[in-house]
Every structure is written in C-alpha cells, then in structure tokens.
Amino acid sequence: MTEILKFPGLGIQFNINRVAFSIGPFTVYWYGIMIATGLVLAVIYANKRAAEFGVNKDKLMDIILIGTIGSIIGARAYFVIFSWDKYKNDFLSVFKIWEGGIAIYGAIIGALIFGLLTANKKGVKCLALTDLALPCFLLGQGIGRWGNFFNIEAFGSNTTMPWGMTSDGIVYYLQAHQAELAKIGVTVDPNMPVHPTFLYESIWCLIGFVLFAFYAKHRKFDGELTLFYAIWYGAERFVVEGLRTDSLMWGKVRVSQALALITVIVALGIYIYVRKFGKTKFTDMVPYGHTPEGISENQPVQKTEITETSSKKEDVDSSKENKEETEEIKEKTDSAE
C-alpha cells in the first residue's frame, strides 16, 4: 500500500511503499533491505580493520554470526518486557516478531552479550573487539534507520522546522494516542508536521562513525572507543528519545532515555578515571592491536614453516623411492641366482 509522506516546509513529498518487491508468496520490505544493507557494510568495514585491533578475522565472523542472533533476541525481548501489557494475555504473540515490535537498545545489548560470550570462548580480547565493533554499530544504525523512513515510523512530536513531515498515517497515529501522550506531558496537534527523529539519529550515527573511523588508529587504550560510543550514542538518544511519540514507558519515565542518561554518566566517569589513573593503576595501556601478540593474530603462516613442512614431505618421498629401488635390485639378484 502506497502512502504519501509530505515535507510541507520544503515543498516536497514522497510516495512511500513499504514493500520493495515480491517473489511468489514471499514479500521483501524496504525495512529489511535497509537493516541488511547496514549490517553488510558494517561487517565489511569490521573485517577490513580487524587486524588493527588484534582481532582474528576468522574468529570475528563467528562472533558476528552469534552476535546477530543475539541482537534479534535482545531487540524483541527488550520491547516485550516494557510492553508486557500487550502480550501478557497472548504469550504466543511474543514470538510473532514479523508483526513488529523491536527496540534498538535491546539489539545492542543482545549483540554485546552474545558476541562477548563467544569472544571469550574463542580467546579474543573483549575490549579490543568492542572498540572495533561499536563504531560499526554506528554505521549499521545510521543506514538501518532509513527503514523507519519507509515504514513512516519513529517520528517525534510537532515541529515548525522546515523539515517537519506529515502523512495520513502520522495524523491517524497522533489522533489515536493524543490523550495517552498528554498524560506524560506531550501535547500534539495531529494536523501539524512532526520531527523526523529517525533522520536525526541517522545523521548523528553516521557522523559518529566517520569521526571514530579517523580516530581509531590514535586510541590510547583498549576500551576507549567503547566508552566514546556509549557517550556519543547515549547523548544523542537522550535528546532524540525526548522528542519521540512512541517511547517505551516505565510509568512516566521513558525507558531508553533514562538508560541513555545512565550510560553517558557511567561511561564519562570511567573515561575520566582511566585517563587520570590509567598509567599507575593499569599495567598495560597499549591497545592490543599495537602489541606483537595482537599484530600476529592475522599474520599468514611463515614461509619458513612451509619450507620445513615441504622438506619433511620430500624426505619421506625420497626414503620411499630408495626403499622401492632396493627391493627391485634384490629381486633381480635373486632371479639371476
């Protein structure tokens, strides 16, 4: 079904269809395409820079696979937990993820838990891994948020800015939730444009990715980019979540906004502490990827080892040939006698 998304202040509009294409009974949505595109580009980038962080590329792919599964589980679980009233009388609907209902914070938490457990099992340095992976999350999030554009969702409250947007679906949603939003102090006019909050987050994440990509080679210790991610994304989410009209609530508290604020405060505190006391409290402040051990993680097999192996194989073949020649001579001698 096509819906017209308008940007009145800019004088432009788009005919939006959630469906990209269909193959027989299978329907492919733009939302899924954008999420998949973000994931693929993030994986390519991570694989390209893995050696700089001392992360073995083969092990990385296993971690990504398990982490992706964890992100799906986490995204759904986070949404269900804070929307329990919607599912408590129909437990089986919890598993109907195709009907919608996932949360980005849950996806991040799930990916980290599953990914770090796998990394620990495979002997990968966890902080080196998160320094590599979290900037990739920014790339994936920046692209994936455009899935919200095609679904015409994840928008905010009213705005008079020229980039405010509106559609029949937005008007209907605001009319249906106007009283509910008023209870948490959000007054909306369904007929006015709203903040395209998905766009704000996309821009913020992509800017962060570029900055982190340039700074990565200058990091001072493993975990530095991890803390930067928590501060950067947490600050953005705290601001943007305050504009949203579809926030998951815990009473009158926006769950993701509260979590974002806590994340920023904790990460900033840890960063200040490490920078101030790191050289005296911690014995190793050199990123693992800059150490001889980290550099060797992705090194190919040394030629000397290959030569030694080939030499041993040649010796075995030579010994076998000599044995066969000796037996042949013996048989001729016996025949002559």
Side-chain angles (χ1 to χ4, degrees):
M1 179 178 177
T2 300
E3 184 174 354
I4 300 175
L5 180 63
K6 304 174 184 177
F7 292 82
L10 300 176
I12 58 176
Q13 64 181 41
F14 299 93
N15 294 322
I16 304 296
N17 192 328
R18 295 176 59 195
V19 178
F21 59 88
S22 297
I23 302 177
F26 299 100
T27 300
V28 178
Y29 293 89
W30 281 111
Y31 184 89
I33 290 176
M34 299 313 296
I35 294 293
T37 301
L39 175 62
V40 170
L41 292 179
V43 170
I44 292 173
Y45 175 82
N47 189 66
K48 183 177 180 180
R49 300 200 68 170
E52 298 177 38
F53 293 80
V55 177
N56 182 275
K57 293 181 180 180
D58 294 331
K59 295 178 181 179
L60 175 64
M61 297 310 296
D62 292 337
I63 294 169
I64 289 173
L65 177 61
I66 301 300
T68 300
I69 296 172
S71 70
I72 297 172
I73 295 173
R76 183 59 170 176
Y78 187 100
F79 184 88
V80 169
I81 289 171
F82 293 106
S83 305
W84 183 241
D85 287 344
K86 181 180 178 181
Y87 299 96
K88 63 183 181 181
N89 296 322
D90 183 15
F91 183 72
L92 291 179
S93 63
V94 168
F95 304 100
K96 297 178 181 178
I97 192 171
W98 57 88
E99 293 182 354
I102 57 175
I104 186 63
Y105 253 127
I108 295 170
I109 294 169
L112 286 175
I113 291 174
F114 278 66
L116 290 177
L117 287 174
T118 306
N120 184 63
K121 184 177 180 180
K122 291 183 172 294
V124 176
K125 298 289 183 180
C126 289
L127 287 179
L129 173 67
T130 54
D131 274 359
L132 169 64
L134 288 174
C136 297
F137 281 20
L138 289 175
L139 176 60
Q141 289 168 244
I143 296 173
R145 274 299 175 191
W146 283 90
N148 300 133
F149 169 78
F150 289 100
N151 280 0
I152 311 182
E153 61 186 5
F155 48 80
S157 53
N158 297 132
T159 179
T160 56
M161 302 304 290
W163 51 79
M165 66 182 193
T166 187
S167 72
D168 290 342
I170 292 174
V171 171
Y172 176 80
Y173 177 89
L174 293 181
Q175 288 175 339
H177 295 82
Q178 195 169 16
E180 182 183 336
L181 290 169
K183 291 180 181 179
I184 60 173
V186 180
T187 302
V188 294
D189 180 348
N191 298 308
M192 284 186 62
V194 297
H195 286 283
T197 49
F198 77 88
L199 176 62
Y200 299 162
E201 182 160 333
S202 176
I203 293 173
W204 187 261
C205 287
L206 293 176
I207 290 174
F209 168 72
V210 172
L211 293 175
F212 284 24
F214 278 107
Y215 183 75
K217 62 180 64 176
H218 304 292
R219 66 194 189 283
K220 304 298 187 299
F221 57 90
D222 284 333
E224 187 174 23
L225 291 184
T226 301
L227 294 172
F228 283 172
Y229 172 87
I231 296 168
W232 181 267
Y233 182 65
E236 174 272 322
R237 193 56 189 255
F238 177 79
V239 174
V240 172
E241 192 68 27
L243 300 173
R244 294 273 292 265
T245 54
D246 60 347
S247 297
L248 295 175
M249 304 297 294
W250 190 6
K252 291 189 176 182
V253 176
R254 296 173 186 262
V255 177
S256 294
Q257 189 176 40
L259 181 57
L261 180 60
I262 294 171
T263 300
V264 171
I265 293 173
V266 172
L268 188 59
I270 294 173
Y271 180 74
I272 292 172
Y273 177 82
V274 173
R275 286 307 302 259
K276 186 174 182 179
F277 300 106
K279 292 183 179 179
T280 56
K281 296 286 185 179
F282 307 104
T283 56
D284 187 7
M285 288 292 289
V286 179
Y288 181 66
H290 297 172
T291 65
E293 295 83 1
I295 294 173
S296 67
E297 281 290 337
N298 287 285
Q299 292 296 318
V301 179
Q302 297 296 321
K303 291 183 179 180
T304 54
E305 294 178 0
I306 297 175
T307 302
E308 290 176 1
T309 303
S310 300
S311 178
K312 289 179 181 179
K313 185 176 184 300
E314 289 175 359
D315 290 343
V316 171
D317 292 341
S318 177
S319 176
K320 185 177 180 181
E321 289 176 0
N322 290 337
K323 184 177 179 180
E324 291 174 351
E325 289 179 359
T326 302
E327 290 177 353
E328 185 179 349
I329 293 173
K330 184 178 179 182
E331 288 176 358
K332 289 181 178 180
T333 303
D334 292 343
S335 177
E337 291 178 351

mmCIF file of all heavy atoms in Angstrom, residues 12-53:
data_model
loop_
_atom_site.group_PDB
_atom_site.id
_atom_site.type_symbol
_atom_site.label_atom_id
_atom_site.label_comp_id
_atom_site.label_asym_id
_atom_site.label_seq_id
_atom_site.Cartn_x
_atom_site.Cartn_y
_atom_site.Cartn_z
ATOM 1 N N ILE A 12 8.158 19.324 -0.689
ATOM 2 C CA ILE A 12 8.409 18.043 -1.362
ATOM 3 C C ILE A 12 7.557 16.950 -0.720
ATOM 4 O O ILE A 12 7.109 17.082 0.425
ATOM 5 C CB ILE A 12 9.897 17.637 -1.315
ATOM 6 C CG1 ILE A 12 10.384 17.540 0.152
ATOM 7 C CG2 ILE A 12 10.746 18.611 -2.098
ATOM 8 C CD1 ILE A 12 11.810 17.041 0.267
ATOM 9 N N GLN A 13 7.343 15.882 -1.463
ATOM 10 C CA GLN A 13 6.628 14.730 -0.936
ATOM 11 C C GLN A 13 7.117 13.461 -1.621
ATOM 12 O O GLN A 13 7.703 13.506 -2.708
ATOM 13 C CB GLN A 13 5.121 14.883 -1.116
ATOM 14 C CG GLN A 13 4.673 14.935 -2.561
ATOM 15 C CD GLN A 13 3.169 15.122 -2.679
ATOM 16 O OE1 GLN A 13 2.561 15.894 -1.948
ATOM 17 N NE2 GLN A 13 2.553 14.401 -3.618
ATOM 18 N N PHE A 14 6.893 12.319 -0.964
ATOM 19 C CA PHE A 14 7.345 11.036 -1.481
ATOM 20 C C PHE A 14 6.189 10.042 -1.438
ATOM 21 O O PHE A 14 5.409 10.023 -0.478
ATOM 22 C CB PHE A 14 8.506 10.479 -0.639
ATOM 23 C CG PHE A 14 9.727 11.354 -0.608
ATOM 24 C CD1 PHE A 14 9.901 12.285 0.415
ATOM 25 C CD2 PHE A 14 10.694 11.254 -1.594
ATOM 26 C CE1 PHE A 14 11.023 13.097 0.455
ATOM 27 C CE2 PHE A 14 11.823 12.053 -1.558
ATOM 28 C CZ PHE A 14 11.981 12.985 -0.550
ATOM 29 N N ASN A 15 6.094 9.242 -2.477
ATOM 30 C CA ASN A 15 5.140 8.134 -2.474
ATOM 31 C C ASN A 15 5.849 6.916 -1.894
ATOM 32 O O ASN A 15 6.738 6.341 -2.535
ATOM 33 C CB ASN A 15 4.635 7.836 -3.886
ATOM 34 C CG ASN A 15 3.803 8.965 -4.451
ATOM 35 O OD1 ASN A 15 3.035 9.601 -3.726
ATOM 36 N ND2 ASN A 15 3.932 9.230 -5.750
ATOM 37 N N ILE A 16 5.484 6.546 -0.687
ATOM 38 C CA ILE A 16 6.189 5.503 0.036
ATOM 39 C C ILE A 16 5.406 4.190 0.003
ATOM 40 O O ILE A 16 4.218 4.145 0.327
ATOM 41 C CB ILE A 16 6.407 5.907 1.518
ATOM 42 C CG1 ILE A 16 7.144 7.241 1.608
ATOM 43 C CG2 ILE A 16 7.159 4.811 2.258
ATOM 44 C CD1 ILE A 16 8.546 7.214 1.051
ATOM 45 N N ASN A 17 6.094 3.146 -0.393
ATOM 46 C CA ASN A 17 5.531 1.808 -0.338
ATOM 47 C C ASN A 17 6.469 0.944 0.495
ATOM 48 O O ASN A 17 7.654 0.820 0.177
ATOM 49 C CB ASN A 17 5.378 1.212 -1.738
ATOM 50 C CG ASN A 17 4.536 -0.056 -1.746
ATOM 51 O OD1 ASN A 17 4.532 -0.821 -0.781
ATOM 52 N ND2 ASN A 17 3.816 -0.290 -2.832
ATOM 53 N N ARG A 18 5.975 0.367 1.557
ATOM 54 C CA ARG A 18 6.812 -0.449 2.449
ATOM 55 C C ARG A 18 7.388 -1.660 1.733
ATOM 56 O O ARG A 18 8.455 -2.158 2.093
ATOM 57 C CB ARG A 18 5.999 -0.920 3.652
ATOM 58 C CG ARG A 18 5.528 0.192 4.569
ATOM 59 C CD ARG A 18 4.656 -0.367 5.670
ATOM 60 N NE ARG A 18 5.368 -1.351 6.461
ATOM 61 C CZ ARG A 18 4.796 -2.206 7.298
ATOM 62 N NH1 ARG A 18 3.473 -2.225 7.421
ATOM 63 N NH2 ARG A 18 5.515 -3.063 7.994
ATOM 64 N N VAL A 19 6.691 -2.145 0.725
ATOM 65 C CA VAL A 19 7.118 -3.346 0.004
ATOM 66 C C VAL A 19 8.087 -2.980 -1.114
ATOM 67 O O VAL A 19 7.786 -2.135 -1.958
ATOM 68 C CB VAL A 19 5.906 -4.092 -0.584
ATOM 69 C CG1 VAL A 19 6.371 -5.306 -1.382
ATOM 70 C CG2 VAL A 19 4.955 -4.515 0.531
ATOM 71 N N ALA A 20 9.250 -3.615 -1.098
ATOM 72 C CA ALA A 20 10.230 -3.375 -2.153
ATOM 73 C C ALA A 20 9.887 -4.204 -3.388
ATOM 74 O O ALA A 20 9.836 -3.688 -4.500
ATOM 75 C CB ALA A 20 11.639 -3.724 -1.657
ATOM 76 N N PHE A 21 9.634 -5.507 -3.171
ATOM 77 C CA PHE A 21 9.231 -6.391 -4.268
ATOM 78 C C PHE A 21 8.712 -7.704 -3.670
ATOM 79 O O PHE A 21 8.898 -7.993 -2.485
ATOM 80 C CB PHE A 21 10.398 -6.658 -5.229
ATOM 81 C CG PHE A 21 11.603 -7.284 -4.579
ATOM 82 C CD1 PHE A 21 11.721 -8.665 -4.465
ATOM 83 C CD2 PHE A 21 12.625 -6.488 -4.070
ATOM 84 C CE1 PHE A 21 12.828 -9.244 -3.860
ATOM 85 C CE2 PHE A 21 13.747 -7.059 -3.468
ATOM 86 C CZ PHE A 21 13.852 -8.436 -3.367
ATOM 87 N N SER A 22 8.069 -8.473 -4.527
ATOM 88 C CA SER A 22 7.534 -9.771 -4.104
ATOM 89 C C SER A 22 7.985 -10.839 -5.085
ATOM 90 O O SER A 22 8.069 -10.604 -6.299
ATOM 91 C CB SER A 22 6.006 -9.737 -4.030
ATOM 92 O OG SER A 22 5.559 -8.810 -3.055
ATOM 93 N N ILE A 23 8.285 -12.019 -4.539
ATOM 94 C CA ILE A 23 8.623 -13.172 -5.364
ATOM 95 C C ILE A 23 7.680 -14.295 -4.957
ATOM 96 O O ILE A 23 7.857 -14.926 -3.903
ATOM 97 C CB ILE A 23 10.092 -13.606 -5.153
ATOM 98 C CG1 ILE A 23 11.041 -12.454 -5.478
ATOM 99 C CG2 ILE A 23 10.411 -14.820 -6.021
ATOM 100 C CD1 ILE A 23 12.496 -12.785 -5.226
ATOM 101 N N GLY A 24 6.650 -14.529 -5.772
ATOM 102 C CA GLY A 24 5.647 -15.516 -5.399
ATOM 103 C C GLY A 24 4.967 -15.107 -4.097
ATOM 104 O O GLY A 24 4.516 -13.970 -3.939
ATOM 105 N N PRO A 25 4.957 -16.019 -3.122
ATOM 106 C CA PRO A 25 4.306 -15.697 -1.841
ATOM 107 C C PRO A 25 5.198 -14.889 -0.896
ATOM 108 O O PRO A 25 4.743 -14.454 0.159
ATOM 109 C CB PRO A 25 4.024 -17.088 -1.253
ATOM 110 C CG PRO A 25 5.120 -17.947 -1.803
ATOM 111 C CD PRO A 25 5.385 -17.424 -3.194
ATOM 112 N N PHE A 26 6.454 -14.690 -1.285
ATOM 113 C CA PHE A 26 7.405 -14.004 -0.416
ATOM 114 C C PHE A 26 7.439 -12.504 -0.709
ATOM 115 O O PHE A 26 7.553 -12.084 -1.857
ATOM 116 C CB PHE A 26 8.810 -14.588 -0.576
ATOM 117 C CG PHE A 26 8.900 -16.044 -0.211
ATOM 118 C CD1 PHE A 26 8.905 -17.022 -1.190
ATOM 119 C CD2 PHE A 26 8.955 -16.431 1.119
ATOM 120 C CE1 PHE A 26 8.978 -18.368 -0.869
ATOM 121 C CE2 PHE A 26 9.035 -17.780 1.457
ATOM 122 C CZ PHE A 26 9.043 -18.745 0.471
ATOM 123 N N THR A 27 7.333 -11.717 0.349
ATOM 124 C CA THR A 27 7.345 -10.264 0.228
ATOM 125 C C THR A 27 8.590 -9.708 0.916
ATOM 126 O O THR A 27 8.892 -10.069 2.060
ATOM 127 C CB THR A 27 6.089 -9.650 0.885
ATOM 128 O OG1 THR A 27 4.922 -10.166 0.232
ATOM 129 C CG2 THR A 27 6.105 -8.131 0.757
ATOM 130 N N VAL A 28 9.315 -8.871 0.210
ATOM 131 C CA VAL A 28 10.530 -8.253 0.757
ATOM 132 C C VAL A 28 10.240 -6.775 1.020
ATOM 133 O O VAL A 28 9.796 -6.050 0.123
ATOM 134 C CB VAL A 28 11.711 -8.390 -0.222
ATOM 135 C CG1 VAL A 28 12.957 -7.699 0.349
ATOM 136 C CG2 VAL A 28 12.001 -9.866 -0.490
ATOM 137 N N TYR A 29 10.484 -6.356 2.261
ATOM 138 C CA TYR A 29 10.186 -4.976 2.668
ATOM 139 C C TYR A 29 11.442 -4.118 2.655
ATOM 140 O O TYR A 29 12.561 -4.610 2.893
ATOM 141 C CB TYR A 29 9.566 -4.967 4.070
ATOM 142 C CG TYR A 29 8.196 -5.600 4.132
ATOM 143 C CD1 TYR A 29 8.051 -6.965 4.378
ATOM 144 C CD2 TYR A 29 7.045 -4.835 3.939
ATOM 145 C CE1 TYR A 29 6.803 -7.555 4.425
ATOM 146 C CE2 TYR A 29 5.783 -5.412 3.984
ATOM 147 C CZ TYR A 29 5.670 -6.773 4.233
ATOM 148 O OH TYR A 29 4.423 -7.351 4.283
ATOM 149 N N TRP A 30 11.248 -2.833 2.409
ATOM 150 C CA TRP A 30 12.369 -1.897 2.416
ATOM 151 C C TRP A 30 13.049 -1.849 3.784
ATOM 152 O O TRP A 30 14.258 -1.648 3.873
ATOM 153 C CB TRP A 30 11.888 -0.501 2.022
ATOM 154 C CG TRP A 30 11.706 -0.317 0.552
ATOM 155 C CD1 TRP A 30 10.535 -0.165 -0.124
ATOM 156 C CD2 TRP A 30 12.749 -0.288 -0.437
ATOM 157 N NE1 TRP A 30 10.767 -0.037 -1.466
ATOM 158 C CE2 TRP A 30 12.124 -0.111 -1.694
ATOM 159 C CE3 TRP A 30 14.134 -0.405 -0.391
ATOM 160 C CZ2 TRP A 30 12.838 -0.044 -2.881
ATOM 161 C CZ3 TRP A 30 14.857 -0.341 -1.574
ATOM 162 C CH2 TRP A 30 14.212 -0.163 -2.794
ATOM 163 N N TYR A 31 12.263 -2.011 4.840
ATOM 164 C CA TYR A 31 12.822 -2.007 6.196
ATOM 165 C C TYR A 31 13.911 -3.075 6.321
ATOM 166 O O TYR A 31 15.017 -2.811 6.815
ATOM 167 C CB TYR A 31 11.718 -2.253 7.223
ATOM 168 C CG TYR A 31 12.176 -2.164 8.657
ATOM 169 C CD1 TYR A 31 12.153 -0.951 9.334
ATOM 170 C CD2 TYR A 31 12.627 -3.296 9.338
ATOM 171 C CE1 TYR A 31 12.581 -0.857 10.654
ATOM 172 C CE2 TYR A 31 13.044 -3.209 10.646
ATOM 173 C CZ TYR A 31 13.021 -1.997 11.305
ATOM 174 O OH TYR A 31 13.446 -1.919 12.606
ATOM 175 N N GLY A 32 13.579 -4.282 5.873
ATOM 176 C CA GLY A 32 14.550 -5.374 5.940
ATOM 177 C C GLY A 32 15.764 -5.120 5.071
ATOM 178 O O GLY A 32 16.896 -5.453 5.454
ATOM 179 N N ILE A 33 15.547 -4.529 3.899
ATOM 180 C CA ILE A 33 16.662 -4.234 2.995
ATOM 181 C C ILE A 33 17.627 -3.234 3.628
ATOM 182 O O ILE A 33 18.851 -3.390 3.554
ATOM 183 C CB ILE A 33 16.137 -3.695 1.647
ATOM 184 C CG1 ILE A 33 15.443 -4.813 0.874
ATOM 185 C CG2 ILE A 33 17.277 -3.098 0.819
ATOM 186 C CD1 ILE A 33 14.814 -4.364 -0.426
ATOM 187 N N MET A 34 17.085 -2.200 4.273
ATOM 188 C CA MET A 34 17.942 -1.188 4.897
ATOM 189 C C MET A 34 18.718 -1.767 6.070
ATOM 190 O O MET A 34 19.912 -1.477 6.257
ATOM 191 C CB MET A 34 17.108 0.008 5.344
ATOM 192 C CG MET A 34 16.371 0.735 4.229
ATOM 193 S SD MET A 34 17.385 1.081 2.763
ATOM 194 C CE MET A 34 18.613 2.186 3.463
ATOM 195 N N ILE A 35 18.059 -2.604 6.888
ATOM 196 C CA ILE A 35 18.747 -3.246 8.011
ATOM 197 C C ILE A 35 19.865 -4.151 7.489
ATOM 198 O O ILE A 35 20.991 -4.138 7.999
ATOM 199 C CB ILE A 35 17.754 -4.077 8.853
ATOM 200 C CG1 ILE A 35 16.720 -3.162 9.534
ATOM 201 C CG2 ILE A 35 18.508 -4.898 9.893
ATOM 202 C CD1 ILE A 35 17.285 -2.254 10.588
ATOM 203 N N ALA A 36 19.558 -4.929 6.463
ATOM 204 C CA ALA A 36 20.549 -5.852 5.899
ATOM 205 C C ALA A 36 21.717 -5.093 5.272
ATOM 206 O O ALA A 36 22.877 -5.501 5.410
ATOM 207 C CB ALA A 36 19.884 -6.747 4.853
ATOM 208 N N THR A 37 21.430 -3.984 4.582
ATOM 209 C CA THR A 37 22.481 -3.170 3.971
ATOM 210 C C THR A 37 23.417 -2.616 5.038
ATOM 211 O O THR A 37 24.653 -2.668 4.896
ATOM 212 C CB THR A 37 21.880 -2.008 3.167
ATOM 213 O OG1 THR A 37 21.033 -2.529 2.142
ATOM 214 C CG2 THR A 37 22.973 -1.151 2.533
ATOM 215 N N GLY A 38 22.848 -2.100 6.113
ATOM 216 C CA GLY A 38 23.665 -1.580 7.207
ATOM 217 C C GLY A 38 24.534 -2.664 7.812
ATOM 218 O O GLY A 38 25.715 -2.441 8.110
ATOM 219 N N LEU A 39 23.964 -3.853 7.997
ATOM 220 C CA LEU A 39 24.715 -4.966 8.576
ATOM 221 C C LEU A 39 25.866 -5.393 7.680
ATOM 222 O O LEU A 39 27.000 -5.587 8.145
ATOM 223 C CB LEU A 39 23.769 -6.152 8.827
ATOM 224 C CG LEU A 39 24.423 -7.445 9.328
ATOM 225 C CD1 LEU A 39 25.099 -7.214 10.674
ATOM 226 C CD2 LEU A 39 23.379 -8.553 9.436
ATOM 227 N N VAL A 40 25.588 -5.538 6.394
ATOM 228 C CA VAL A 40 26.624 -5.982 5.454
ATOM 229 C C VAL A 40 27.784 -4.989 5.393
ATOM 230 O O VAL A 40 28.963 -5.375 5.444
ATOM 231 C CB VAL A 40 26.026 -6.183 4.048
ATOM 232 C CG1 VAL A 40 27.129 -6.393 3.017
ATOM 233 C CG2 VAL A 40 25.075 -7.382 4.051
ATOM 234 N N LEU A 41 27.481 -3.704 5.291
ATOM 235 C CA LEU A 41 28.543 -2.689 5.231
ATOM 236 C C LEU A 41 29.339 -2.647 6.529
ATOM 237 O O LEU A 41 30.565 -2.463 6.517
ATOM 238 C CB LEU A 41 27.939 -1.318 4.932
ATOM 239 C CG LEU A 41 27.338 -1.143 3.536
ATOM 240 C CD1 LEU A 41 26.754 0.258 3.377
ATOM 241 C CD2 LEU A 41 28.403 -1.385 2.460
ATOM 242 N N ALA A 42 28.658 -2.828 7.651
ATOM 243 C CA ALA A 42 29.353 -2.847 8.943
ATOM 244 C C ALA A 42 30.301 -4.042 9.030
ATOM 245 O O ALA A 42 31.425 -3.920 9.529
ATOM 246 C CB ALA A 42 28.329 -2.889 10.078
ATOM 247 N N VAL A 43 29.861 -5.191 8.536
ATOM 248 C CA VAL A 43 30.703 -6.402 8.559
ATOM 249 C C VAL A 43 31.926 -6.219 7.658
ATOM 250 O O VAL A 43 33.045 -6.591 8.024
ATOM 251 C CB VAL A 43 29.891 -7.633 8.117
ATOM 252 C CG1 VAL A 43 30.813 -8.831 7.890
ATOM 253 C CG2 VAL A 43 28.837 -7.971 9.164
ATOM 254 N N ILE A 44 31.718 -5.646 6.475
ATOM 255 C CA ILE A 44 32.837 -5.412 5.547
ATOM 256 C C ILE A 44 33.872 -4.483 6.192
ATOM 257 O O ILE A 44 35.078 -4.735 6.139
ATOM 258 C CB ILE A 44 32.324 -4.800 4.229
ATOM 259 C CG1 ILE A 44 31.489 -5.829 3.463
ATOM 260 C CG2 ILE A 44 33.486 -4.315 3.359
ATOM 261 C CD1 ILE A 44 30.801 -5.265 2.231
ATOM 262 N N TYR A 45 33.394 -3.416 6.812
ATOM 263 C CA TYR A 45 34.300 -2.473 7.471
ATOM 264 C C TYR A 45 35.049 -3.142 8.622
ATOM 265 O O TYR A 45 36.272 -2.972 8.768
ATOM 266 C CB TYR A 45 33.514 -1.272 7.983
ATOM 267 C CG TYR A 45 34.361 -0.298 8.776
ATOM 268 C CD1 TYR A 45 35.142 0.656 8.136
ATOM 269 C CD2 TYR A 45 34.384 -0.348 10.168
ATOM 270 C CE1 TYR A 45 35.926 1.542 8.851
ATOM 271 C CE2 TYR A 45 35.166 0.535 10.892
ATOM 272 C CZ TYR A 45 35.932 1.478 10.240
ATOM 273 O OH TYR A 45 36.715 2.346 10.968
ATOM 274 N N ALA A 46 34.340 -3.901 9.442
ATOM 275 C CA ALA A 46 34.964 -4.570 10.585
ATOM 276 C C ALA A 46 36.029 -5.552 10.118
ATOM 277 O O ALA A 46 37.128 -5.631 10.693
ATOM 278 C CB ALA A 46 33.908 -5.297 11.411
ATOM 279 N N ASN A 47 35.732 -6.308 9.070
ATOM 280 C CA ASN A 47 36.687 -7.282 8.542
ATOM 281 C C ASN A 47 37.937 -6.592 7.995
ATOM 282 O O ASN A 47 39.063 -7.085 8.157
ATOM 283 C CB ASN A 47 36.018 -8.106 7.447
ATOM 284 C CG ASN A 47 36.867 -9.272 6.998
ATOM 285 O OD1 ASN A 47 37.130 -10.206 7.748
ATOM 286 N ND2 ASN A 47 37.307 -9.230 5.749
ATOM 287 N N LYS A 48 37.738 -5.428 7.368
ATOM 288 C CA LYS A 48 38.859 -4.690 6.791
ATOM 289 C C LYS A 48 39.813 -4.159 7.854
ATOM 290 O O LYS A 48 41.031 -4.109 7.653
ATOM 291 C CB LYS A 48 38.330 -3.537 5.937
ATOM 292 C CG LYS A 48 39.412 -2.748 5.221
ATOM 293 C CD LYS A 48 38.815 -1.664 4.338
ATOM 294 C CE LYS A 48 39.903 -0.879 3.610
ATOM 295 N NZ LYS A 48 39.335 0.177 2.734
ATOM 296 N N ARG A 49 39.269 -3.774 9.022
ATOM 297 C CA ARG A 49 40.097 -3.146 10.052
ATOM 298 C C ARG A 49 40.395 -4.058 11.237
ATOM 299 O O ARG A 49 41.011 -3.626 12.220
ATOM 300 C CB ARG A 49 39.433 -1.864 10.543
ATOM 301 C CG ARG A 49 39.216 -0.839 9.440
ATOM 302 C CD ARG A 49 39.020 0.543 9.967
ATOM 303 N NE ARG A 49 40.214 1.100 10.573
ATOM 304 C CZ ARG A 49 40.332 2.375 10.936
ATOM 305 N NH1 ARG A 49 39.321 3.206 10.765
ATOM 306 N NH2 ARG A 49 41.442 2.821 11.494
ATOM 307 N N ALA A 50 39.999 -5.318 11.155
ATOM 308 C CA ALA A 50 40.167 -6.243 12.281
ATOM 309 C C ALA A 50 41.622 -6.350 12.736
ATOM 310 O O ALA A 50 41.917 -6.375 13.935
ATOM 311 C CB ALA A 50 39.632 -7.618 11.900
ATOM 312 N N ALA A 51 42.556 -6.402 11.768
ATOM 313 C CA ALA A 51 43.968 -6.579 12.110
ATOM 314 C C ALA A 51 44.496 -5.429 12.965
ATOM 315 O O ALA A 51 45.352 -5.640 13.832
ATOM 316 C CB ALA A 51 44.796 -6.704 10.828
ATOM 317 N N GLU A 52 44.002 -4.209 12.759
ATOM 318 C CA GLU A 52 44.454 -3.054 13.533
ATOM 319 C C GLU A 52 44.110 -3.187 15.012
ATOM 320 O O GLU A 52 44.745 -2.575 15.872
ATOM 321 C CB GLU A 52 43.824 -1.763 13.001
ATOM 322 C CG GLU A 52 44.194 -1.434 11.563
ATOM 323 C CD GLU A 52 43.472 -0.181 11.097
ATOM 324 O OE1 GLU A 52 43.324 0.751 11.905
ATOM 325 O OE2 GLU A 52 43.029 -0.144 9.933
ATOM 326 N N PHE A 53 43.097 -3.991 15.306
ATOM 327 C CA PHE A 53 42.642 -4.158 16.689
ATOM 328 C C PHE A 53 43.114 -5.484 17.289
ATOM 329 O O PHE A 53 42.767 -5.815 18.417
ATOM 330 C CB PHE A 53 41.119 -4.075 16.754
ATOM 331 C CG PHE A 53 40.580 -2.704 16.416
ATOM 332 C CD1 PHE A 53 40.456 -2.292 15.104
ATOM 333 C CD2 PHE A 53 40.212 -1.822 17.424
ATOM 334 C CE1 PHE A 53 39.968 -1.030 14.786
ATOM 335 C CE2 PHE A 53 39.727 -0.555 17.116
ATOM 336 C CZ PHE A 53 39.607 -0.158 15.795
#
